[in-house]
Amino acid sequence: MSELFPHYRATWETDQHRELRRHAAEFFRKEATPNQERWAANHQVDRDFWNKMGNAGLLGLDLPEEFGGTGGDFGYSAIVGEELALAHDAASGWAVHSPIVAHYINTYGNAEQKQRWMPKIISGEAVLAIAMTEPGTGSDLQAVRTTATRDGDEYVINGSKTFISNGTHCDLLVIVAKTDPSAGAAGVSLIVAETGDDPAGFERGRVLEKVGQHGQDTRELFFSDMRVPAANLLGEREGQGFYQLMEQLARERLIIASVCSGMAEAALLEAIKYTKEREAFGRPLIKFQHNRFQLAELKAEVLSIKTTVDYCVQQYIDGSIDPATASMAKLIAADKGVAVVDRCVQFFGGYGYMMEYPIARAYAAARVNKIYGGTSEIMKEIISRSL
Protein backbone atom coordinates (compact mmCIF):
# COMPACT_ATOMS: atom_id res chain seq x y z
CA MET A 1 0.00 0.00 0.00
CA SER A 2 1.33 3.41 -0.98
CA GLU A 3 2.13 5.62 2.01
CA LEU A 4 1.67 8.70 -0.16
CA PHE A 5 -1.54 7.45 -1.82
CA PRO A 6 -3.12 5.04 0.73
CA HIS A 7 -6.25 4.44 -1.36
CA TYR A 8 -4.44 3.99 -4.67
CA ARG A 9 -4.78 0.60 -6.33
CA ALA A 10 -3.61 -0.28 -9.83
CA THR A 11 -6.13 -2.03 -12.06
CA TRP A 12 -3.96 -5.14 -12.14
CA GLU A 13 -3.30 -5.26 -8.40
CA THR A 14 -4.97 -8.17 -6.57
CA ASP A 15 -4.97 -9.08 -2.89
CA GLN A 16 -2.02 -11.38 -3.65
CA HIS A 17 -0.10 -8.46 -5.13
CA ARG A 18 -0.80 -6.36 -2.05
CA GLU A 19 0.33 -9.16 0.26
CA LEU A 20 3.56 -9.39 -1.73
CA ARG A 21 3.99 -5.63 -1.39
CA ARG A 22 3.78 -5.89 2.40
CA HIS A 23 6.19 -8.82 2.44
CA ALA A 24 8.73 -7.13 0.13
CA ALA A 25 8.54 -3.84 2.04
CA GLU A 26 9.23 -5.57 5.34
CA PHE A 27 12.07 -7.67 3.90
CA PHE A 28 13.93 -4.83 2.17
CA ARG A 29 13.60 -2.43 5.08
CA LYS A 30 15.18 -5.06 7.29
CA GLU A 31 17.78 -6.55 4.93
CA ALA A 32 18.64 -3.71 2.50
CA THR A 33 17.98 -0.29 4.03
CA PRO A 34 20.38 -0.57 7.02
CA ASN A 35 23.23 -1.83 4.83
CA GLN A 36 23.34 0.87 2.14
CA GLU A 37 26.34 2.79 3.46
CA ARG A 38 28.38 -0.36 4.10
CA TRP A 39 27.53 -1.80 0.69
CA ALA A 40 28.49 1.50 -0.93
CA ALA A 41 31.87 1.40 0.82
CA ASN A 42 32.41 -2.20 -0.33
CA HIS A 43 31.09 -1.57 -3.88
CA GLN A 44 28.94 -4.68 -3.61
CA VAL A 45 26.11 -6.20 -1.64
CA ASP A 46 26.78 -9.14 0.66
CA ARG A 47 26.81 -12.37 -1.32
CA ASP A 48 24.38 -13.98 1.10
CA PHE A 49 21.87 -11.19 0.38
CA TRP A 50 21.09 -13.10 -2.81
CA ASN A 51 20.40 -16.25 -0.84
CA LYS A 52 18.19 -14.30 1.55
CA MET A 53 16.19 -12.90 -1.36
CA GLY A 54 15.83 -16.43 -2.71
CA ASN A 55 14.69 -17.77 0.65
CA ALA A 56 12.17 -14.93 0.85
CA GLY A 57 10.73 -15.93 -2.52
CA LEU A 58 11.69 -12.68 -4.24
CA LEU A 59 13.77 -14.07 -7.12
CA GLY A 60 11.19 -16.24 -8.89
CA LEU A 61 8.04 -14.18 -8.72
CA ASP A 62 6.93 -14.61 -12.32
CA LEU A 63 8.95 -17.73 -13.06
CA PRO A 64 7.53 -21.28 -13.32
CA GLU A 65 6.51 -23.13 -10.16
CA GLU A 66 8.16 -26.32 -11.43
CA PHE A 67 11.56 -24.72 -10.79
CA GLY A 68 10.63 -23.16 -7.45
CA GLY A 69 9.12 -19.92 -8.73
CA THR A 70 5.80 -18.35 -7.85
CA GLY A 71 4.31 -18.37 -11.34
CA GLY A 72 2.83 -14.90 -10.92
CA ASP A 73 2.35 -12.18 -13.52
CA PHE A 74 4.60 -9.25 -14.36
CA GLY A 75 2.93 -7.14 -11.69
CA TYR A 76 4.78 -9.12 -9.02
CA SER A 77 8.11 -7.90 -10.38
CA ALA A 78 6.82 -4.33 -10.79
CA ILE A 79 5.87 -4.30 -7.10
CA VAL A 80 9.28 -5.52 -5.94
CA GLY A 81 10.99 -2.91 -8.13
CA GLU A 82 8.95 -0.17 -6.46
CA GLU A 83 9.51 -1.52 -2.96
CA LEU A 84 13.28 -1.71 -3.43
CA ALA A 85 13.25 1.99 -4.32
CA LEU A 86 10.93 2.84 -1.44
CA ALA A 87 13.42 1.09 0.86
CA HIS A 88 16.10 3.52 -0.43
CA ASP A 89 18.07 0.71 -2.05
CA ALA A 90 20.66 1.78 -4.61
CA ALA A 91 22.84 -1.33 -4.45
CA SER A 92 20.87 -4.45 -5.25
CA GLY A 93 21.19 -5.98 -8.70
CA TRP A 94 17.76 -7.63 -8.30
CA ALA A 95 16.29 -5.88 -11.34
CA VAL A 96 18.99 -7.29 -13.62
CA HIS A 97 18.82 -10.79 -12.16
CA SER A 98 15.15 -11.54 -11.64
CA PRO A 99 12.81 -9.69 -14.02
CA ILE A 100 15.33 -9.25 -16.85
CA VAL A 101 18.06 -11.88 -17.31
CA ALA A 102 16.12 -14.78 -15.78
CA HIS A 103 13.52 -14.33 -18.49
CA TYR A 104 16.02 -14.72 -21.29
CA ILE A 105 16.75 -18.18 -19.93
CA ASN A 106 13.10 -18.95 -19.15
CA THR A 107 11.91 -17.79 -22.58
CA TYR A 108 14.68 -19.01 -24.87
CA GLY A 109 16.32 -21.80 -22.90
CA ASN A 110 15.62 -25.40 -23.77
CA ALA A 111 14.31 -27.95 -21.26
CA GLU A 112 17.78 -29.13 -20.24
CA GLN A 113 19.11 -25.60 -19.76
CA LYS A 114 16.14 -24.55 -17.65
CA GLN A 115 16.28 -27.68 -15.52
CA ARG A 116 19.99 -27.05 -14.92
CA TRP A 117 19.89 -23.33 -14.19
CA MET A 118 16.44 -22.13 -13.13
CA PRO A 119 16.31 -23.69 -9.62
CA LYS A 120 19.65 -22.05 -8.76
CA ILE A 121 18.51 -18.72 -10.23
CA ILE A 122 15.35 -18.75 -8.12
CA SER A 123 17.08 -19.84 -4.91
CA GLY A 124 19.85 -17.22 -5.18
CA GLU A 125 22.56 -19.87 -5.52
CA ALA A 126 23.36 -18.52 -8.99
CA VAL A 127 23.50 -14.74 -9.59
CA LEU A 128 22.74 -13.50 -13.11
CA ALA A 129 24.25 -10.77 -15.26
CA ILE A 130 24.02 -9.88 -18.93
CA ALA A 131 26.99 -8.66 -20.95
CA MET A 132 25.64 -6.30 -23.62
CA THR A 133 27.45 -2.97 -23.55
CA GLU A 134 30.98 -2.66 -24.90
CA PRO A 135 33.46 0.21 -24.61
CA GLY A 136 32.50 1.41 -28.10
CA THR A 137 28.92 0.13 -28.28
CA GLY A 138 25.91 1.34 -26.31
CA SER A 139 22.36 1.22 -27.65
CA ASP A 140 23.47 -0.10 -31.06
CA LEU A 141 23.58 -3.79 -30.19
CA GLN A 142 24.07 -4.78 -33.84
CA ALA A 143 27.56 -3.30 -33.61
CA VAL A 144 28.94 -5.50 -30.81
CA ARG A 145 32.48 -6.71 -31.47
CA THR A 146 32.72 -9.58 -28.99
CA THR A 147 32.94 -12.79 -31.02
CA ALA A 148 31.94 -16.39 -30.34
CA THR A 149 33.65 -18.73 -32.80
CA ARG A 150 32.46 -22.32 -33.00
CA ASP A 151 35.18 -24.90 -32.38
CA GLY A 152 33.73 -28.38 -32.20
CA ASP A 153 31.40 -28.61 -29.23
CA GLU A 154 32.49 -25.26 -27.84
CA TYR A 155 32.42 -21.54 -28.55
CA VAL A 156 35.65 -19.60 -28.17
CA ILE A 157 34.75 -16.12 -26.94
CA ASN A 158 36.91 -13.02 -27.32
CA GLY A 159 36.12 -9.41 -26.51
CA SER A 160 35.28 -7.07 -23.66
CA LYS A 161 32.20 -5.65 -21.98
CA THR A 162 31.62 -2.71 -19.66
CA PHE A 163 28.98 -1.35 -17.25
CA ILE A 164 28.05 -4.91 -16.22
CA SER A 165 25.80 -4.94 -13.16
CA ASN A 166 26.34 -7.96 -10.85
CA GLY A 167 29.79 -8.23 -12.41
CA THR A 168 31.38 -9.33 -9.13
CA HIS A 169 28.87 -11.93 -8.00
CA CYS A 170 27.58 -13.31 -11.30
CA ASP A 171 27.66 -17.10 -11.60
CA LEU A 172 25.74 -17.18 -14.89
CA LEU A 173 26.49 -14.60 -17.56
CA VAL A 174 24.43 -14.13 -20.71
CA ILE A 175 26.91 -12.88 -23.32
CA VAL A 176 25.84 -10.92 -26.38
CA ALA A 177 28.32 -11.96 -29.08
CA LYS A 178 28.76 -12.17 -32.83
CA THR A 179 28.65 -15.75 -34.07
CA ASP A 180 28.74 -14.39 -37.63
CA PRO A 181 30.50 -10.99 -37.76
CA SER A 182 29.54 -10.52 -41.42
CA ALA A 183 25.77 -10.82 -40.88
CA GLY A 184 24.94 -7.65 -38.92
CA ALA A 185 21.95 -8.11 -36.62
CA ALA A 186 21.43 -11.64 -37.94
CA GLY A 187 24.90 -12.59 -36.68
CA VAL A 188 24.24 -11.84 -32.98
CA SER A 189 23.70 -14.71 -30.54
CA LEU A 190 23.15 -15.08 -26.79
CA ILE A 191 25.41 -17.59 -25.03
CA VAL A 192 25.31 -18.44 -21.32
CA ALA A 193 28.68 -18.77 -19.58
CA GLU A 194 29.02 -20.39 -16.17
CA THR A 195 31.41 -17.96 -14.51
CA GLY A 196 31.13 -18.82 -10.82
CA ASP A 197 34.58 -20.42 -10.74
CA ASP A 198 36.20 -17.79 -13.01
CA PRO A 199 36.96 -20.14 -15.94
CA ALA A 200 40.13 -19.82 -18.02
CA GLY A 201 39.99 -16.84 -20.35
CA PHE A 202 37.46 -14.95 -18.21
CA GLU A 203 38.52 -11.91 -16.23
CA ARG A 204 36.51 -9.59 -14.02
CA GLY A 205 37.97 -6.12 -14.51
CA ARG A 206 37.92 -3.14 -12.21
CA VAL A 207 34.84 -2.09 -10.27
CA LEU A 208 33.72 1.12 -11.96
CA GLU A 209 33.48 4.34 -9.96
CA LYS A 210 29.98 5.61 -10.71
CA VAL A 211 28.26 8.87 -9.84
CA GLY A 212 25.68 6.93 -7.83
CA GLN A 213 24.61 3.38 -6.96
CA HIS A 214 27.97 2.88 -5.31
CA GLY A 215 26.91 -0.38 -3.66
CA GLN A 216 26.24 -2.10 -6.97
CA ASP A 217 29.07 -4.24 -8.34
CA THR A 218 29.32 -2.73 -11.82
CA ARG A 219 32.45 -3.97 -13.57
CA GLU A 220 34.31 -4.46 -16.79
CA LEU A 221 34.53 -8.04 -18.09
CA PHE A 222 37.12 -9.51 -20.46
CA PHE A 223 37.12 -12.67 -22.58
CA SER A 224 40.31 -14.10 -24.03
CA ASP A 225 39.76 -17.44 -25.75
CA MET A 226 37.20 -18.34 -23.10
CA ARG A 227 35.59 -21.66 -23.96
CA VAL A 228 31.88 -22.19 -23.40
CA PRO A 229 29.93 -25.33 -24.34
CA ALA A 230 28.00 -24.90 -27.58
CA ALA A 231 25.05 -26.40 -25.71
CA ASN A 232 24.81 -23.10 -23.79
CA LEU A 233 23.50 -21.20 -26.83
CA LEU A 234 20.09 -19.66 -26.11
CA GLY A 235 17.63 -20.44 -28.88
CA GLU A 236 17.32 -23.16 -31.49
CA ARG A 237 20.06 -21.78 -33.70
CA GLU A 238 22.69 -19.05 -33.97
CA GLY A 239 21.76 -15.55 -35.06
CA GLN A 240 18.63 -15.09 -32.94
CA GLY A 241 20.25 -12.96 -30.25
CA PHE A 242 19.37 -9.50 -31.56
CA TYR A 243 15.72 -10.43 -31.95
CA GLN A 244 15.66 -12.04 -28.51
CA LEU A 245 17.04 -8.82 -27.04
CA MET A 246 14.41 -6.72 -28.83
CA GLU A 247 11.59 -8.99 -27.63
CA GLN A 248 12.64 -8.59 -23.99
CA LEU A 249 13.25 -4.84 -23.98
CA ALA A 250 9.68 -4.03 -22.91
CA ARG A 251 10.24 -5.96 -19.66
CA GLU A 252 13.50 -4.15 -18.99
CA ARG A 253 12.02 -0.72 -19.65
CA LEU A 254 8.93 -1.34 -17.53
CA ILE A 255 11.01 -2.57 -14.60
CA ILE A 256 13.18 0.55 -14.79
CA ALA A 257 9.99 2.62 -14.96
CA SER A 258 8.64 0.86 -11.85
CA VAL A 259 11.87 1.58 -9.98
CA CYS A 260 11.69 5.24 -11.09
CA SER A 261 8.15 5.46 -9.78
CA GLY A 262 9.27 4.12 -6.41
CA MET A 263 12.27 6.47 -6.29
CA ALA A 264 10.11 9.51 -6.96
CA GLU A 265 7.63 8.53 -4.27
CA ALA A 266 10.40 7.76 -1.76
CA ALA A 267 12.05 11.14 -2.40
CA LEU A 268 8.80 13.02 -1.88
CA LEU A 269 8.04 11.12 1.33
CA GLU A 270 11.48 12.10 2.65
CA ALA A 271 10.88 15.73 1.66
CA ILE A 272 7.48 15.86 3.38
CA LYS A 273 8.91 14.30 6.53
CA TYR A 274 11.84 16.71 6.59
CA THR A 275 9.76 19.84 6.02
CA LYS A 276 7.50 18.87 8.92
CA GLU A 277 10.47 18.44 11.26
CA ARG A 278 12.87 21.19 10.14
CA GLU A 279 12.15 24.73 11.32
CA ALA A 280 13.15 28.11 9.91
CA PHE A 281 12.22 31.48 11.38
CA GLY A 282 10.33 29.79 14.19
CA ARG A 283 8.06 27.46 12.20
CA PRO A 284 8.28 24.19 10.26
CA LEU A 285 9.29 24.50 6.61
CA ILE A 286 5.99 23.00 5.50
CA LYS A 287 4.13 25.98 6.98
CA PHE A 288 5.55 28.24 4.27
CA GLN A 289 3.11 28.48 1.39
CA HIS A 290 5.82 28.22 -1.25
CA ASN A 291 7.01 24.90 0.18
CA ARG A 292 3.47 23.53 0.50
CA PHE A 293 2.68 24.44 -3.09
CA GLN A 294 5.91 22.83 -4.28
CA LEU A 295 5.11 19.64 -2.37
CA ALA A 296 1.56 19.64 -3.70
CA GLU A 297 2.82 19.93 -7.25
CA LEU A 298 5.33 17.14 -6.66
CA LYS A 299 2.61 14.87 -5.28
CA ALA A 300 0.63 15.36 -8.47
CA GLU A 301 3.76 14.60 -10.52
CA VAL A 302 4.39 11.37 -8.60
CA LEU A 303 0.79 10.27 -9.15
CA SER A 304 1.14 10.94 -12.88
CA ILE A 305 4.24 8.74 -12.97
CA LYS A 306 2.51 5.93 -11.05
CA THR A 307 -0.59 5.92 -13.24
CA THR A 308 1.45 5.95 -16.46
CA VAL A 309 3.61 3.05 -15.32
CA ASP A 310 0.66 1.03 -14.00
CA TYR A 311 -1.26 1.54 -17.23
CA CYS A 312 1.66 0.07 -19.15
CA VAL A 313 2.11 -2.79 -16.66
CA GLN A 314 -1.55 -3.66 -17.24
CA GLN A 315 -0.92 -3.70 -20.98
CA TYR A 316 2.07 -5.99 -20.49
CA ILE A 317 0.01 -8.38 -18.36
CA ASP A 318 -2.73 -8.34 -21.02
CA GLY A 319 -0.17 -9.08 -23.74
CA SER A 320 -0.97 -5.89 -25.66
CA ILE A 321 2.14 -3.82 -24.93
CA ASP A 322 4.06 -2.46 -27.93
CA PRO A 323 7.57 -0.97 -28.12
CA ALA A 324 6.33 2.63 -28.32
CA THR A 325 4.10 2.33 -25.24
CA ALA A 326 6.81 0.63 -23.17
CA SER A 327 9.18 3.40 -24.26
CA MET A 328 6.67 6.04 -23.14
CA ALA A 329 6.55 4.50 -19.66
CA LYS A 330 10.34 4.51 -19.43
CA LEU A 331 10.67 8.04 -20.83
CA ILE A 332 8.06 9.59 -18.53
CA ALA A 333 9.10 7.70 -15.41
CA ALA A 334 12.83 8.36 -15.88
CA ASP A 335 12.66 12.01 -16.92
CA LYS A 336 9.96 13.05 -14.46
CA GLY A 337 11.37 10.83 -11.73
CA VAL A 338 14.80 12.45 -11.95
CA ALA A 339 13.16 15.89 -11.87
CA VAL A 340 11.12 15.00 -8.78
CA VAL A 341 14.17 13.74 -6.89
CA ASP A 342 16.14 16.84 -7.87
CA ARG A 343 13.43 19.19 -6.61
CA CYS A 344 13.09 17.24 -3.36
CA VAL A 345 16.79 17.72 -2.63
CA GLN A 346 16.21 21.48 -2.46
CA PHE A 347 14.05 21.22 0.67
CA PHE A 348 17.00 19.80 2.58
CA GLY A 349 19.38 22.67 1.86
CA GLY A 350 22.99 21.68 2.51
CA TYR A 351 21.95 18.40 4.13
CA GLY A 352 20.50 17.30 0.81
CA TYR A 353 24.06 17.22 -0.53
CA MET A 354 25.35 14.94 2.23
CA MET A 355 25.56 11.27 1.26
CA GLU A 356 24.51 10.16 4.75
CA TYR A 357 20.99 11.31 3.83
CA PRO A 358 18.87 8.97 1.67
CA ILE A 359 17.80 11.92 -0.48
CA ALA A 360 21.42 12.56 -1.54
CA ARG A 361 21.96 8.90 -2.43
CA ALA A 362 18.70 8.95 -4.40
CA TYR A 363 19.83 12.07 -6.27
CA ALA A 364 23.08 10.39 -7.29
CA ALA A 365 21.37 7.10 -8.15
CA ALA A 366 18.44 8.48 -10.15
CA ARG A 367 20.27 10.17 -13.02
CA VAL A 368 21.31 6.94 -14.75
CA ASN A 369 17.64 6.00 -15.23
CA LYS A 370 17.59 8.35 -18.23
CA ILE A 371 20.54 6.43 -19.71
CA TYR A 372 20.40 2.68 -19.18
CA GLY A 373 17.75 0.43 -20.66
CA GLY A 374 17.84 2.79 -23.65
CA THR A 375 18.47 6.52 -23.31
CA SER A 376 15.61 9.01 -23.23
CA GLU A 377 16.63 10.05 -26.72
CA ILE A 378 16.30 6.47 -27.97
CA MET A 379 12.86 6.28 -26.29
CA LYS A 380 11.78 9.37 -28.22
CA GLU A 381 13.05 7.86 -31.46
CA ILE A 382 11.02 4.68 -30.87
CA ILE A 383 7.90 6.64 -29.91
CA SER A 384 8.26 8.90 -32.94
CA ARG A 385 8.00 5.88 -35.25
CA SER A 386 4.43 5.35 -34.00
CA LEU A 387 3.28 8.86 -34.95
Side-chain angles (χ1 to χ4, degrees), residues 149-219:
T149 305
R150 185 71 179 260
D151 181 22
D153 293 333
E154 296 178 314
Y155 285 108
V156 180
I157 300 179
N158 285 281
S160 62
K161 300 289 183 177
T162 193
F163 308 150
I164 309 304
S165 300
N166 297 340
T168 297
H169 290 314
C170 69
D171 303 287
L172 292 173
L173 177 68
V174 176
I175 303 170
V176 181
K178 283 283 184 70
T179 44
D180 184 353
S182 67
V188 176
S189 300
L190 303 186
I191 300 166
V192 181
E194 297 174 281
T195 55
D197 295 327
D198 286 355
F202 174 69
E203 180 184 352
R204 303 176 200 259
R206 64 192 175 100
V207 177
L208 300 170
E209 290 284 348
K210 306 185 297 296
V211 171
Q213 300 185 5
H214 299 143
Q216 196 172 108
D217 53 342
T218 308
R219 302 185 82 121

Side-chain angles (χ1 to χ4, degrees), residues 11-80:
T11 56
W12 49 264
E13 205 169 345
T14 65
D15 289 342
Q16 288 74 27
H17 288 106
R18 292 169 79 81
E19 181 59 35
L20 170 64
R21 189 180 291 281
R22 286 188 285 270
H23 169 60
E26 180 181 353
F27 176 85
F28 290 125
R29 280 160 177 75
K30 176 184 177 183
E31 299 292 347
T33 305
N35 294 315
Q36 292 300 306
E37 291 189 44
R38 181 170 60 82
W39 288 346
N42 294 339
H43 295 292
Q44 63 183 49
V45 302
D46 301 329
R47 178 59 183 83
D48 68 357
F49 181 61
W50 288 100
N51 303 96
K52 290 179 180 179
M53 284 194 288
N55 291 336
L58 297 173
L59 297 181
L61 294 164
D62 52 350
L63 294 171
E65 294 181 48
E66 65 180 294
F67 302 120
T70 303
D73 58 34
F74 182 74
Y76 283 67
S77 289
I79 282 171
V80 175

Side-chain angles (χ1 to χ4, degrees), residues 290-365:
H290 173 78
N291 291 336
R292 289 200 310 278
F293 280 13
Q294 289 285 312
L295 291 167
E297 186 177 322
L298 287 166
K299 185 172 182 178
E301 289 280 351
V302 172
L303 182 59
S304 74
I305 297 170
K306 286 178 69 69
T307 54
T308 298
V309 173
D310 284 331
Y311 169 79
C312 294
V313 170
Q314 180 70 70
Q315 284 205 321
Y316 190 94
I317 292 171
D318 293 342
S320 59
I321 196 75
D322 59 78
T325 305
S327 297
M328 289 182 215
K330 205 266 184 182
L331 175 68
I332 292 297
D335 282 15
K336 288 187 175 293
V338 169
V340 167
V341 175
D342 176 63
R343 289 173 64 187
C344 286
V345 169
Q346 198 69 18
F347 294 104
F348 290 77
Y351 291 106
Y353 208 60
M354 300 295 110
M355 290 302 284
E356 64 191 86
Y357 279 71
I359 192 66
R361 296 196 294 271
Y363 177 75

